[in-house]
Amino acid sequence: MIALALPAFAALVAEPLFVMADSAVVGHLGTTQLAGLGVAAALLTTAVNVFVFLAYATTAAVARRVGAGDLPGAVRQGMDGIWLALLLGTGMICLAVPAAPALIDLFGASATAAPHAVTYLRVSALGIPAMLVVLAATGVLRGLQNTRTPLYVAIGGFAANAALNVLLVYGAGLGIAGSAWGTVIAQCGMAAAYLTVVVRGARRHGASLRPDLTGIRACAQAGAPLLIRTLSLRAILMIATAVAARLGDTDVAAHQIALALWNLLSFALDSIAIAGQAIIGRYLGAGDADGARAACRRMVEWGIASGVVLGLLVVAARPLFIPLFTSDAAVRDALLPALLVVAVAQPLSGVVYVLDGVLIGAGDGPYLAWAMIATLAVFAPAALLIPALGGGLTAVWCAMALMMAARMTTLGLRARSGRWIVTGAVRA
């Protein structure tokens, strides 16, 4: 498990580091630019991450076939996911570019931050197809128990993004648009690298590269419950950002920094869950139910321990990383107490992400969809009441901690029931 989790950790944290690098560079342009980035980044991340099933469902399905000894079928299933990613990405460009001003306005961005948000969103939307291809291809390689290639591609992509941000924002004088263009270019390079690896694997195993409408449709149907789950989760994050935006530019700028850190920590914890998806899928595909149960227990223990360590690191490192993102004293004052809540919530998050990965690896999508809808029903009223009750950014993050507690409850009950354990090359 550790051999899979460690490379997955580095690959996963590279993705939120894209946003953190953008935040660090844009934050020194000014508070209004950082506030605009906060709103636009939330929308862009939502536009991409609602389709995270391209990675998760593909990982589980490919791992099951690997466990059953069907490598050509595993790679063919992965190719169906990549073709679906290209179709979905093209459709998202057609929606996001013209609708950018209306979407930013819907989020309640201030008049000073809105122009920056629109600029960043319109440029970054052009990279959505590449981002979705990266998700699908990553799922293929994880299902094949290959987490090293995603690690190398992610490191290269992050390095390119960071360098391009500085070059285009300051060297070329493009401002926040330069940050967006740097991300688009880096993502396209990552997609090209993944496609090269997957195509070689398909040819080696004799899998067809042509789009198969039946396979693409089956891939979409299998991912539908995870899409509902992810939409509910993104709704939670969007509500949090919208509430913070209505508290003012200072609070939404601080929220953007806290959210970037939250995403970084979440992806770090998700490395154990990613390993779990592949391991659980392989065990169930091979018909080893006892092995799946034992792996689940080990991963929960790792999740709790990792969450405690990350929470302590957040508290200890606050004076070191906050100045990297802003020189505004008001933003710092708003951020400090929110980060304490983020730190306290990490052990909960460790359990949540691990159990989420176990159930995804088992193909238990319908339950995950209903569980996340229930969590949204708990979070939304608590968050939306914050402005009316005079709460600030810290209250927003207390609501986020409540959300994680609700998720832990629903996922824990399912894991203990054992109903997620279904063996075979394909979940019936």
Side-chain angles (χ1 to χ4, degrees):
M1 180 180 69
I2 297 175
L4 289 175
L6 288 179
F9 164 77
L12 284 167
V13 298
E15 192 66 24
L17 283 174
F18 271 52
V19 177
M20 294 190 75
D22 288 4
S23 299
V25 173
V26 172
H28 291 286
L29 291 175
T31 299
T32 56
Q33 286 90 339
L34 182 58
L37 172 65
V39 175
L43 281 165
L44 181 67
T45 305
T46 297
V48 174
N49 284 357
V50 292
F51 300 117
V52 74
F53 71 83
L54 291 167
Y56 289 172
T58 302
T59 297
V62 170
R64 273 185 179 267
R65 290 190 179 274
V66 168
D70 183 11
L71 285 176
V75 177
R76 175 65 257 180
Q77 192 148 17
M79 287 302 304
D80 292 335
I82 290 173
W83 280 111
L84 179 61
L86 286 170
L87 291 172
L88 292 172
T90 302
M92 289 303 296
I93 289 179
C94 296
L95 290 173
V97 172
L103 291 171
I104 296 300
D105 182 65
L106 181 64
F107 259 62
S110 68
T112 53
H116 301 297
V118 170
T119 297
Y120 188 89
L121 181 59
R122 277 182 164 162
V123 175
S124 295
L126 300 178
I128 290 177
M131 296 179 195
L132 297 190
V133 167
V134 166
L135 285 176
T138 300
V140 178
L141 296 180
R142 289 173 182 164
L144 294 170
Q145 320 289 292
N146 176 0
T147 55
R148 292 188 179 274
T149 298
L151 166 62
Y152 300 144
V153 174
I155 291 173
F158 170 69
N161 179 65
L164 287 166
N165 259 263
V166 175
L167 178 64
L168 296 176
V169 172
Y170 297 114
L174 296 180
I176 195 170
S179 177
W181 277 117
T183 300
V184 170
I185 295 169
Q187 289 283 4
C188 288
M190 291 174 66
Y194 274 121
L195 286 174
T196 299
V197 174
V198 173
V199 167
R200 286 176 181 172
R203 288 174 175 167
R204 183 167 59 251
H205 294 294
S208 173
L209 297 174
R210 295 180 179 179
D212 176 13
L213 293 180
T214 301
I216 293 172
R217 187 182 304 111
C219 183
Q221 291 172 345
L226 291 181
L227 175 61
I228 295 171
R229 162 205 172 268
T230 305
L231 284 172
S232 300
L233 177 58
R234 296 313 306 177
I236 289 169
L237 298 179
M238 289 173 70
I239 289 170
T241 299
V243 171
R246 283 166 172 77
L247 297 175
D249 283 356
T250 296
D251 281 331
V252 76
H255 177 74
Q256 168 58 20
I257 297 171
L259 187 60
L261 178 64
W262 175 273
N263 287 335
L264 173 62
L265 296 171
S266 297
F267 276 92
L269 292 170
D270 207 25
S271 64
I272 304 171
I274 293 298
Q277 291 173 26
I279 291 171
I280 294 297
R282 188 185 65 200
Y283 275 127
L284 295 179
D288 187 355
D290 290 338
R293 289 191 187 91
C296 177
R297 286 193 297 270
R298 288 195 303 272
M299 286 182 287
V300 168
E301 293 169 358
W302 275 96
I304 294 171
S306 300
V308 171
V309 171
L310 289 175
L312 293 174
L313 284 175
V314 169
V315 174
R318 285 181 303 160
L320 300 177
F321 64 77
I322 290 177
L324 296 175
F325 295 98
T326 181
S327 56
D328 189 321
V331 174
R332 293 185 185 185
D333 290 342
L335 180 60
L336 282 170
L339 289 180
L340 288 176
V341 179
V342 171
V344 170
Q346 292 315 297
L348 289 177
S349 298
V351 176
V352 167
Y353 283 101
V354 165
L355 292 180
D356 204 46
V358 167
L359 297 183
I360 289 172
D364 201 16
Y367 181 84
L368 288 169
W370 285 111
M372 192 59 75
I373 290 172
T375 301
L376 174 60
V378 171
F379 172 81
L384 293 174
L385 284 173
I386 289 172
L389 297 176
L393 185 63
T394 303
V396 173
W397 281 95
C398 286
M400 292 286 285
L402 172 65
M403 176 268 295
M404 295 306 291
R407 289 187 70 187
M408 186 178 70
T409 300
T410 57
L411 298 178
L413 289 173
R414 185 64 168 184
R416 292 188 63 181
S417 74
R419 294 177 183 176
W420 52 277
I421 298 175
V422 178
T423 58
V426 178
R427 184 182 174 100

